[in-house]
Amino acid sequence: QLKNALFTNITHEFRTPLTVIKGMTGAIKLNLENKQHNNIENSLEIIDRNSDGLMHLINEMLDLAKIESGNMELNLMQVDIIPFIKYLTQSFHSYAEEKEINFSVHCDIEHLEMDIDVNKFTAIITNLISNAIKFTSKKGEVYIQIDRIRENHKDLISLKIKDNGLGISKEDQAYIFDKFYQVDNTSSTIQQGTGIGLALVKEFVELMQGSIDIESTQGKGSMFSIKIPI
């Protein structure tokens, strides 16, 4: 049943960007035929953005297959993680502005060298931020807090992604990181996802020997907390 639900949702997730891409290519052809070039750049940008969304979805599916077969490995490299996180968050400012959401990043550290798997860390951050913005209403708020902390004789980086959006019920919180699990948002106009994103986030965080927790109140928002050893 879960896999059937996944395939149904995947179909919708694929169909939307493909419909947009198809429509944009049609518009570009028409513009070229009429020798009008004023909107082509904007159309190409929309095609590019929707292609990225499709690629992200395909990569999630491949990563899920690797995890299920036990072949997922870490590719660690040393990175100055603070400017890297700020770089990753920059691309979400326009998305937040579109939804009239106040999006901010708070950090008192300027530099922190540590070993991470860049692709997996990128997936963690982008999944959590895009979810936070997606499930927050207009005029809402999403903020990220980055700290260096010490727990049980270990130095850790702490990331908190907090929103004042829909929130998640206590019942759903127990299953939120399970593969294919989806919160029942039938009363919401927000399109369902695939139920893969948060499962991958948890797997990736734990691969880096870290931990992830959620605090949430329905109707008041959620906070995802990540800790990864430095």
Side-chain angles (χ1 to χ4, degrees):
Q1 280 179 328
L2 285 169
K3 290 204 173 184
N4 281 340
L6 171 74
F7 286 125
T8 304
N9 290 320
I10 286 279
T11 306
H12 287 296
E13 293 255 333
F14 275 131
R15 191 169 60 181
T16 306
L18 283 170
T19 304
V20 172
I21 290 167
K22 186 82 176 154
M24 287 296 116
T25 51
I28 289 170
K29 278 181 188 173
L30 200 63
N31 283 342
L32 290 172
E33 280 169 20
N34 297 329
K35 295 187 168 51
Q36 293 175 336
H37 302 105
N38 48 340
N39 280 330
I40 286 178
E41 201 171 319
N42 184 46
S43 297
L44 289 171
E45 202 172 299
I46 292 167
I47 288 171
D48 202 32
R49 195 163 67 230
N50 280 274
S51 301
D52 285 345
L54 281 172
M55 191 61 77
H56 172 70
L57 190 60
I58 289 162
N59 287 337
E60 278 194 341
M61 299 293 288
L62 292 171
D63 285 342
L64 185 69
K66 280 183 193 171
I67 285 168
E68 295 211 312
S69 64
N71 291 327
M72 181 61 77
E73 292 178 354
L74 280 177
N75 297 304
L76 294 173
M77 61 185 289
Q78 196 162 81
V79 172
D80 188 348
I81 202 163
I82 306 302
F84 182 60
I85 294 170
K86 287 179 178 175
Y87 161 73
L88 290 177
T89 58
Q90 271 174 355
S91 60
F92 288 96
H93 284 285
S94 58
Y95 179 30
E97 275 173 27
E98 274 175 39
K99 287 194 70 183
E100 297 176 43
I101 286 168
N102 181 20
F103 176 61
S104 55
V105 181
H106 305 266
C107 182
D108 294 329
I109 321 162
E110 284 189 23
H111 298 284
L112 176 54
E113 295 276 340
M114 65 182 281
D115 290 342
I116 58 163
D117 183 314
V118 170
N119 290 335
K120 292 177 183 60
F121 190 82
T122 300
I124 291 165
I125 297 296
T126 53
N127 254 303
L128 291 176
I129 297 174
S130 57
N131 273 358
I133 295 172
K134 181 179 179 181
F135 293 108
T136 299
S137 305
K138 270 189 177 186
K139 311 290 184 190
E141 186 179 5
V142 173
Y143 83 84
I144 298 165
Q145 179 72 44
I146 308 164
D147 295 294
R148 179 178 183 150
I149 61 170
R150 191 162 176 82
E151 271 183 13
N152 303 323
H153 312 295
K154 276 186 184 176
D155 287 319
L156 309 158
I157 185 167
S158 161
L159 287 156
K160 291 180 179 175
I161 292 104
K162 192 174 190 326
D163 66 70
N164 61 355
L166 291 177
I168 301 159
S169 70
K170 278 274 181 277
E171 295 79 18
D172 284 320
Q173 285 175 45
Y175 307 102
I176 197 77
F177 297 111
D178 290 0
K179 292 184 197 78
F180 315 129
Y181 185 79
Q182 292 179 319
V183 174
D184 181 14
N185 278 320
T186 46
S187 59
S188 167
T189 55
I190 295 166
Q191 186 186 338
Q192 285 279 38
T194 55
I196 297 175
L198 285 177
L200 285 178
V201 165
K202 188 170 193 286
E203 295 276 2
F204 291 165
V205 168
E206 289 178 351
L207 264 176
M208 287 187 267
Q209 297 174 5
S211 64
I212 181 165
D213 295 294
I214 180 173
E215 290 173 36
S216 187
T217 306
Q218 209 162 10
K220 292 188 177 176
S222 307
M223 181 171 74
F224 285 87
S225 303
I226 294 169
K227 294 172 188 171
I228 296 174
I230 296 166

